[in-house]
Amino acid sequence: QQQVKQSPQSLIVQKGGISIINCAYENTAFDYFPWYQQFPGKGPALLIAIRPDVSEKKEGRFTISFNKSAKQFSLHIMDSQPGDSATYFCAAINAGGTSYGKLTFGQGTILTVHP
Amino acid sequence: DGGITQSPKYLFRKEGQNVTLSCEQNLNHDAMYWYRQDPGQGLRLIYYSQIVNDFQKGDIAEGYSVSREKKESFPLTVTSAQKNPTAFYLCASSPRQGADEQYFGPGTRLTVT
């Protein structure tokens, strides 16, 4: 019930295209859903995050879509650029719980944007 | 400059040796975490600490040990009991336990031969 399932494992997109990465979860107690971006040899960095009281959040070219009833959320990267090539992780946490809230990560998606 | 530092960036050890990875933060965060990352897998939690002198096992604690004697420091020791120690190790911190945002260090790549 703690798992977060992420797909696809890898994604190749042409420059200017839309990259879409999907995640699904089981634990309805999760109340915060961040996406992390990781470049090779570096630590993950928070990219964008959403709470379940909204269905969409947009920051620049990055948009999270959230479907609470389906327990799914996705990252859309508009006008994808070669500099977006990285590994993307979705995650989920019960940040409002009284017990320790563990950040549960998806398996990661390796995005390659061809020029 | 605020942030999390991990040293060294690359570490090589012979099998059977213990090795300690350093993690320091100057963000004044209460909680600190250690994750392990293997190719094609997400991050797996090794240990976490909510306050000084307290720490808890994560999902894959076997073969690892930690200490939290100072708020800013959370070193991880990879012992000889860890069967597959070669991996990328990431330290993270958050303002408090269970806080939604975790901030990651640059990582240490450990190779054991």
Side-chain angles (χ1 to χ4, degrees), chain B residues 9-53:
Chain B
K9 188 170 177 64
Y10 299 97
L11 193 53
F12 298 88
R13 281 293 183 271
K14 294 290 187 184
E15 198 173 311
Q17 293 179 335
N18 291 354
V19 59
T20 297
L21 283 60
S22 168
C23 178
E24 305 276 333
Q25 54 100 357
N26 61 3
L27 301 168
N28 199 33
H29 286 173
D30 286 328
M32 296 186 74
Y33 315 82
W34 273 105
Y35 293 89
R36 170 183 171 135
Q37 184 175 22
D38 296 283
Q41 298 192 36
L43 280 66
R44 293 183 290 168
L45 183 64
I46 304 172
Y47 267 98
Y48 63 96
S49 169
Q50 300 174 32
I51 56 172
V52 174
N53 292 322

Side-chain angles (χ1 to χ4, degrees), chain A residues 35-46:
Chain A
W35 284 89
Y36 285 84
Q37 179 188 56
Q38 184 181 30
F39 293 105
K42 305 292 185 183
L46 180 65

Side-chain angles (χ1 to χ4, degrees), chain A residues 3 10 15 35 43-44 53 60 81 84 99:
Chain A
Q3 282 188 329
S10 62
K15 179 182 176 181
W35 284 89
D53 54 345
Q81 300 296 312
D84 296 331
S99 60

Side-chain angles (χ1 to χ4, degrees), chain A residues 40-109:
Chain A
K42 305 292 185 183
L46 180 65
L47 184 64
I48 186 173
I50 196 169
R51 299 190 187 280
D53 54 345
V54 297
S55 60
E56 185 175 281
K57 183 175 182 179
K58 184 176 181 179
E59 290 183 4
R61 295 184 294 108
F62 300 90
T63 299
I64 299 178
S65 297
F66 189 84
N67 186 331
K68 189 174 181 178
S69 60
K71 291 185 285 187
Q72 295 176 347
F73 58 110
S74 60
L75 176 69
H76 296 234
I77 305 175
M78 312 299 288
D79 187 26
S80 298
Q81 300 296 312
D84 296 331
S85 297
T87 300
Y88 292 82
F89 292 98
C90 62
I93 187 172
N94 177 13
T98 54
S99 60
Y100 169 70
K102 186 180 75 169
L103 195 57
T104 302
F105 286 88
Q107 295 83 356
T109 296

